[in-house]
């Protein structure tokens, strides 16, 4: 368990490094300092986290699957120490499981064994209910019942089109939401430590119920993948069937590119989202098909005034879904329904 | 009718202005020089065109609807001369009708009367078959049958989220497609003049059949508007019904923003596209609903391998729809089906 926040260092006591200066007054420093942070997996999220945490002056130890990845991660400086042997995590007070959802839900037994028994554990998966329940069970079954309350299900909502050891970039989490979904078992000290982690990379901290998280991201994150993928398939097939495939490709502009960006993104990620959040996604697809079907009826029946109203509604809705103003550090999460 | 291209000016004969230098060897100069270019409407397209044509050293005369617009357009320098009196177009060898589709299809009789009888006419509307047939009929009915062959239906495919007299920006058309849809009546000299116009603003020139154009843009430009609008409506209603509307807004990230950008755009534009291209759009909506319905069936029946295949197909399709390499000036348009 982490200690309570230690007092902030006095002004002027720093080494003068920019990263340190920037975060001098951050409440996370006292919580995170003193023990290395472990990261399991150095893909987009793990690698970016490693870069930012080191820039903030923390020691980062990383576990990866293959030696070639470890070698490249060392060249890129993604962590202070990188190894394929889970023993690298010994001594870490916080371990971030930055694994794809499938490997997170079915982790290597050697990884489980190597996790320091007193460490706070957190993950970065885009679906939270299955992860939280799976890890609480896993820890109990492996004689680590006491550690179940130290598992904090988390979801930093940041991404690029890239994946793998080359993908990590500095500053990925700045201003982006970092959601945690604690439940009744979650120890407050463990939650505070993960909040400190999010603060160290300048993310916006939010907490909510795991089921609420999963139903919400189905709408704003998982449904758009299928919406865009269907558009790519339909435009390809429809224009191709009319002998207009080349013309469609020549005329497609930024509107088509933007609408299909996530739909034409990493297929493994899309598949895992659908598998792990299937019921919520099915409900979204029902709602979406109703919405697009209604618009089609308006076009079919030439109900132009109603179509104008629907498009105006869409225009008015969108700004509410764009990046909200950043939450000041230390503020409580916004009210959730 | 425009004259044949005059010989290119000899090297070194220019005034040394950057714009002139940049286009010194362009074949468009001989065609466009000597007579002012008229622009009707100074919104996003008309205003941007005015800026670029003047930067290329051409004289631009513009007609707008309201005096307040004219005043602002003069302040912004969108044309050499701006007026609300159609007589401003006298002497123009080429007139660009940069009007919204509804006003283009039902133009002010005073505008029709004021068009110089020997001028080449072109438009910038996003639907071409109704515009081409309407203007050929209009010109015939107004005793201008000879001018019907001088009407070139055109569609510069460039845009931003903005509209109105403040929207015009320099360089909007650079590298973007400028499509013309000539038919059997179109005079080759008129087509060459509009091609010169596109060249002057560094657009990529393409020609195709008007019906092919309209069916194609339905897929890649009009369908994405309804796809994104439906996503905004569904996400708002679905998350709201579950009491998760605030959380959805807090968690929505760049993926949601991109997927809904054109769907949450200018509603008047979306409405006009749907009205003027209704049949093609309805066919696209059928194809789209089939595609999204198929994806839903894969999720519902947990056919994960097929879903992985569909998402991989989408990922492989998308690059073909991103900006193609620019066509070298003077090259023939790519083959079209």
């Amino acid at each position: 368990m982490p200690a309570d926040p230690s007092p902030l260092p006095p002004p002027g006591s720093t080494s003068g490094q920019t990263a340190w200066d920037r975060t001098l007054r951050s409440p996370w420093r006292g919580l995170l300092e003193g023990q290395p942070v472990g990261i399991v997996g150095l893909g987009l999220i793990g690698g970016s986290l490693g870069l930012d945490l080191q820039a903030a002056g923390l020691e980062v130890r990383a576990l990866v699957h293959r030696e070639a990845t470890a070698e490249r991660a060392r060249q890129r400086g993604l962590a202070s120490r990188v190894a394929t042997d889970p023993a690298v995590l010994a001594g870490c007070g916080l371990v971030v499981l930055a694994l794809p959802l499938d490997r997170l839900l079915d982790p290597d037994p050697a990884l489980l064994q190597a996790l320091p028994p007193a460490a706070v554990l957190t993950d970065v998966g885009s679906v939270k209910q299955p992860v939280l329940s799976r890890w609480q069970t896993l820890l109990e079954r492996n004689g680590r019942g006491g550690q179940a309350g130290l598992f904090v299900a988390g979801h930093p909502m940041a991404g690029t089109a890239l994946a793998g050891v080359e993908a990590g970039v500095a500053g990925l989490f700045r201003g982006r939401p970092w959601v945690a979904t604690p439940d009744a078992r979650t120890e407050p000290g463990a939650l505070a430590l993960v909040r400190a982690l999010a603060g160290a990379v300048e993310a916006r901290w939010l907490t909510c119920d795991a089921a609420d998280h999963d139903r919400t991201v189905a709408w704003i994150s998982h449904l758009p993948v299928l919406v865009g993928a269907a558009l790519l398939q339909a435009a390809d097939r429809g224009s191709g069937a009319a002998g207009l495939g080349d013309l469609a490709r020549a005329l497609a502009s930024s509107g088509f590119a933007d609408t299909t960006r996530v739909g034409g993104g990493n297929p493994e990620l899309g598949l895992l989202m659908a598998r792990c959040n299937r019921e919520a996604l099915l409900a979204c697809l029902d709602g979406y098909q109703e919405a697009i079907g209604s618009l089609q009826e308006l076009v079919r029946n030439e109900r132009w005034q109603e179509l104008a109203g629907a498009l105006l509604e869409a225009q008015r809705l969108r700004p509410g879904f764009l990046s909200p103003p950043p939450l000041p550090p230390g503020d409580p999460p916004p009210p959730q329904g």
Side-chain angles (χ1 to χ4, degrees), chain A residues 217-278:
Chain A
V217 296
W219 283 110
I220 50 93
S221 178
H222 303 172
L223 176 59
V225 171
L226 296 194
V227 160
L231 180 58
L232 282 162
Q233 292 186 307
D236 172 63
R237 290 174 197 163
S239 64
L244 299 170
D246 287 346
L247 189 60
R249 282 162 176 78
L251 299 189
S253 67
S254 60
F256 191 83
D258 282 359
T259 312
T260 58
R261 184 174 66 81
V262 295
N266 186 335
E268 289 83 15
L269 203 59
L271 178 68
L272 286 169
M273 286 171 169
R275 289 184 72 153
C276 297
N277 205 15
R278 175 174 162 273

Side-chain angles (χ1 to χ4, degrees), chain A residues 2 11 36-37 44 63 66 71 104 157 163 181 197 209 220 226 234 237-238 244 253 257 268 273 297 321:
Chain A
V37 176
L44 172 68
L63 172 65
R66 295 179 306 156
E71 185 51 38
L104 184 64
M157 302 196 64
T181 61
L197 178 79
D209 173 75
I220 50 93
L226 296 194
R237 290 174 197 163
L244 299 170
S253 67
E268 289 83 15
M273 286 171 169
E297 282 314 295
F321 287 92

Side-chain angles (χ1 to χ4, degrees), chain A residues 22 106 151 153 186 188 202 238 243 256 259 286 317:
Chain A
R22 197 180 64 222
D106 189 19
F151 183 87
T186 313
E202 301 180 42
F256 191 83
T259 312
D286 282 338
L317 283 172

